[in-house]
Structures are given as structure tokens and as C-alpha cells.
Amino acid sequence: MNYILIMTEGTTELAFLDVLLEKNILKFSKEELLMEEMYQCRQIDGQIVNAIQILNYQDKVLIYRVGDTLKDKLKIPETILPEKIMGIIDVLTKPEFEILFILNENLYDEYLKVKSNTKASSFYKIHNKQYKKQYNFVYEYFNKISKEEIINLINLYVKKHGKTIKKNQKTLQELIKL
């Protein structure tokens, strides 16, 4: 069997992807995930190494790294056989994950006026005093939105920022059912 390993840079991406998984928006199911989980980590270590090592010899893993920078190179530990890794796909949420909130609340045009000197996270914090860059806030926020609205939001996000990614990187659309 082939498995999916999803690694996120931060807890905000992890919370968002957990919502997508629960709402059946991701293009794969929980059963296809390595150990039926997604992980907030930048490198393969600990329990992830162990999980890959105990797979049957014919089982392989496709890795998705999700984040807004992804500057560090993913190092595959020497204890993992190279043939176990099907590939590595970087899914970029650039410029910042908070753009999703800004788009969802129709603040994008206002943000564009100040984006040259204001980070998206700072801008959004001004407009939503309850905002916290924490798992629970992000999870609860997106869990209240319908499946269709989330898909439309991702498509809008990619339409506005899809050009900022490099050739070897993908957008959030890579993870969802279209």
C-alpha cells in the first residue's frame, strides 16, 4: 500500500488540514495517511521514522510538506530506505496563511492598500481582536465554514497568490478534491 505523510510547518496549517480531512475535502482519506495522522514538524524524525521503517517492503510513502516558507531542505534519515519514499511535494501557503482569513472576511482589497508595510497576520489581528495563531482558533474558525465555501476560498486564494510559488512547489489545490 502507498501512504501519505503530511508535515506542516505550523499548527495553523495543521488545524486547517484537520478541518479539510474531517469535511472530506482532501483528496485522500484518513486511512491513507501514515499512522492515520498529520504532523506538525519540519523534518522526519522520531515516531515518523519508526512508522516508515515498520512498513512492509512493498509499501511506500508520498510526502507533502505544507507551509508558508519551506526554505529548509527535507532530510531523509539514512535509516529509511530511499525506495520507501515515492516523492516529496512542497505545498506553499505563501505569503502567509492569514490571507485565508482576510479573503474569507472580504478584507483583501483593504489589505492590498497596506501590504507593502504590514504582514497579513498583523493586519488580520487588527480586524479580529480574538485572532490567535493557535490550533484551536484556526480549527474552530474553519470548521464553521461549509465544505463548498472552503473549496471556493482555497480556489480564490490560489487565484490571488498561485503565481508566487516556484516551479517545484504546489498550491493548496494539490491537496483537495476538485
Side-chain angles (χ1 to χ4, degrees):
M1 179 169 174
N2 294 332
Y3 292 92
I4 305 293
L5 169 58
I6 296 183
M7 303 167 60
T8 67
E9 264 185 350
T11 56
T12 54
E13 293 94 351
L14 182 61
F16 183 66
L17 292 176
D18 277 343
V19 171
L20 297 183
L21 182 65
E22 290 175 17
K23 290 183 179 278
N24 197 26
I25 297 172
L26 291 178
K27 66 181 183 179
F28 33 79
S29 68
K30 183 175 184 172
E31 293 73 31
E32 294 174 88
L33 296 175
L34 184 67
M35 295 178 24
E36 297 188 2
E37 288 184 53
M38 294 183 274
Y39 301 90
Q40 192 259 310
C41 61
R42 293 180 179 261
Q43 293 295 328
I44 297 174
D45 57 17
Q47 68 179 8
I48 298 173
V49 171
N50 294 338
I52 295 172
Q53 287 174 328
I54 63 172
L55 293 175
N56 289 327
Y57 74 93
Q58 74 274 18
D59 295 342
K60 298 186 184 319
V61 178
L62 178 60
I63 301 168
Y64 287 90
R65 297 185 336 142
V66 182
D68 60 6
T69 54
L70 300 176
K71 291 178 183 173
D72 54 335
K73 181 172 172 35
L74 182 64
K75 298 173 187 116
I76 307 297
E78 291 179 11
T79 57
I80 295 176
L81 298 172
E83 56 269 16
K84 286 285 184 200
I85 307 300
M86 292 173 44
I88 300 166
I89 300 171
D90 287 343
V91 177
L92 203 64
T93 58
K94 189 177 181 179
E96 281 186 88
F97 183 83
E98 286 77 9
I99 293 292
L100 288 166
F101 297 110
I102 291 168
L103 287 168
N104 190 55
E105 296 182 25
N106 297 313
L107 297 169
Y108 191 74
D109 289 339
E110 191 177 333
Y111 169 68
L112 288 178
K113 295 173 188 172
V114 298
K115 83 172 197 167
S116 62
N117 59 4
T118 306
K119 291 177 65 173
S121 54
S122 300
F123 174 84
Y124 186 65
K125 180 70 177 162
I126 292 166
H127 288 83
N128 183 343
K129 302 290 186 215
Q130 284 77 43
Y131 172 65
K132 293 181 180 118
K133 201 169 194 164
Q134 296 173 342
Y135 182 95
N136 288 341
F137 179 88
V138 175
Y139 181 86
E140 290 170 14
Y141 181 95
F142 288 107
N143 198 37
K144 294 176 186 172
I145 301 173
S146 75
K147 180 177 177 174
E148 293 74 25
E149 289 171 317
I150 291 175
I151 291 170
N152 290 337
L153 182 60
I154 290 171
N155 289 332
L156 180 61
Y157 180 83
V158 170
K159 181 180 175 184
K160 302 267 187 202
H161 292 281
K163 298 176 186 112
T164 62
I165 66 166
K166 298 176 184 169
K167 248 184 184 178
N168 59 338
Q169 297 171 329
K170 304 291 183 190
T171 66
L172 286 171
Q173 285 175 328
E174 175 68 27
L175 296 173
I176 66 171
K177 298 174 188 175
L178 293 176

